[in-house]
Amino acid sequence: MHAGAILFLSSRQELLRDKVAVITGGANGIGAATARLFASNGARLVIADIDDESGARLEAEVGGPAVCRYVHCDVGSEADIVRAVRTAVSEFGRLDVMHNNAGVLNGRHPSPSISSMEAAELDFLYAVNVRGAALGIKHASRVMIEQHVQGSILCTASVSAMVAGLALHPYTITKHAILGLVKTCALELAHYGIRVNCITPNGVLTDLLCSVGRHLRHLEIRDEKSCPGSENCEDLRKMLAPEDVAKAALFLASDDSKYISGHSLVIDGSFSAGAVGGLNVFKGLQRGEIEFVP
Ligand SMILES: NC(=O)c1ccc[n+]([C@@H]2O[C@H](COP(=O)([O-])OP(=O)(O)OC[C@H]3O[C@@H](n4cnc5c(N)ncnc54)[C@H](O)[C@@H]3O)[C@@H](O)[C@H]2O)c1
């Protein structure tokens, strides 16, 4: 190997060296990309998910039980969340990062209208997307406070936490709730030096997003260009990748963001900065469809 390459490898920063993280919904998609990036940055991990096959495969891929443990955890169950958090402590001795990432887009009874929305659908999304994240914060913060760890807690929100119309009502409602959850917990836990933030991505081609096709007959997500929202991103047209979202999670998990708390880190290539589906004067100027007269 070239001497320069050795220097480069040995000086590569491991942003989560000696840290222990739990990632819910970590077996696939954004959570799996985050697990890989956290492990390559020196973290030891607990992947908590309901997909046992993918979880076990990822545990082996990122280094096996010395580095990563998969635990079956349905975030709808408080006992499962407690078990996931306890696994971090029993296997790796501490908890520094809790990433409440598990989420669902729809349940079994999706409805296109508020007037026909089933209470069971709202309850299901609330249980996974909001209650699961709130209980994750509860049990992670207990351990961090006990251990005097100034940890970092993350949740995965969505651009649906800021704008309506990208998903059905229960998803939009529950993702908006994540912003409130993060703010109120950040305010309380700042006393202990524990930070609480969320990552707020636009559409990412994961199983979750592709499941949209099951419910919308005329929407086929074939490639990055046919994803709703991506046409508004102009130069950032390329579809957001799970790895891009993982990098934002790494920043918020690491000490590089040590004074950032109560924050929503939006990862959407400016999508939510404009009037969604409405007037975009810059697009019109760039295409020559409208002219600026000084
Ligand atoms: N994909 C997108 O376009 C997008 C955009 C913004 C935000 N998000 C959010 O990102 C997060 C991850 O989604 P993704 O796109 O990677 O989806 P994904 O479907 O690829 O992964 C979600 C993971 O969560 C797990 N999971 C589902 N229910 C669970 C439960 N009750 N308990 C524990 N684990 C459970 C699944 O088994 C899966 O491994 C979600 O919170 C989602 O709302 C996704």
Side-chain angles (χ1 to χ4, degrees), residues 194-259:
I194 298 169
R195 301 183 293 112
V196 187
N197 293 292
C198 61
I199 48 171
T200 303
N202 196 7
V204 184
L205 271 186
T206 62
D207 291 348
L208 177 137
L209 188 60
C210 292
S211 71
V212 169
R214 279 209 308 269
H215 303 297
L216 300 178
R217 209 168 292 135
H218 297 295
L219 179 68
E220 270 186 66
I221 299 176
R222 271 180 252 102
D223 57 36
E224 62 195 31
K225 288 192 184 109
S226 62
C227 176
S230 62
E231 71 278 4
N232 284 17
C233 293
E234 292 299 331
D235 291 341
L236 299 171
R237 190 186 292 272
K238 269 212 169 103
M239 190 79 192
L240 186 58
E243 291 73 22
D244 299 320
V245 182
K247 285 177 191 162
L250 174 64
F251 170 64
L252 289 175
S254 77
D255 294 340
D256 278 2
S257 58
K258 69 176 189 234
Y259 209 72

Side-chain angles (χ1 to χ4, degrees), residues 23-33 47-52 54-55 70-77 80-81 99-105 124 127-129 132 155-160 171 174-175 178 199-211 227 239-240 242 245 267:
I23 306 177
T24 70
N28 297 286
I30 292 169
I47 294 169
D49 205 293
I50 51 175
D51 180 349
D52 298 342
S54 302
Y70 170 73
V71 292
H72 181 92
C73 165
D74 179 344
V75 298
S77 153
D80 280 11
I81 294 172
H99 188 180
N100 301 293
N101 167 73
V104 284
L105 183 62
F124 174 64
V128 177
N129 293 359
C155 296
T156 305
S158 162
V159 283
S160 286
Y171 190 76
T174 56
K175 289 299 176 180
I178 293 289
I199 48 171
T200 303
N202 196 7
V204 184
L205 271 186
T206 62
D207 291 348
L208 177 137
L209 188 60
C210 292
S211 71
C227 176
M239 190 79 192
L240 186 58
V245 182
I267 314 148

Side-chain angles (χ1 to χ4, degrees), residues 2-37:
H2 190 271
I6 293 168
L7 182 68
F8 173 76
L9 286 177
S10 63
S11 65
R12 200 190 72 172
Q13 252 190 319
E14 287 189 330
L15 293 180
L16 301 180
R17 183 188 288 239
D18 300 329
K19 292 196 192 287
V20 177
V22 172
I23 306 177
T24 70
N28 297 286
I30 292 169
T34 306
R36 291 186 187 98
L37 188 63

Side-chain angles (χ1 to χ4, degrees), residues 20-98:
V20 177
V22 172
I23 306 177
T24 70
N28 297 286
I30 292 169
T34 306
R36 291 186 187 98
L37 188 63
F38 279 15
S40 71
N41 274 270
R44 283 162 298 156
L45 295 173
V46 173
I47 294 169
D49 205 293
I50 51 175
D51 180 349
D52 298 342
E53 210 180 304
S54 302
R57 208 178 313 124
L58 191 59
E59 176 188 298
E61 183 198 318
V62 300
V67 177
C68 176
R69 289 288 172 128
Y70 170 73
V71 292
H72 181 92
C73 165
D74 179 344
V75 298
S77 153
E78 185 165 13
D80 280 11
I81 294 172
V82 170
R83 198 174 53 243
V85 168
R86 284 207 186 131
T87 302
V89 178
S90 62
E91 296 301 321
F92 303 123
R94 54 189 285 132
L95 180 66
D96 301 274
V97 178
M98 177 80 192

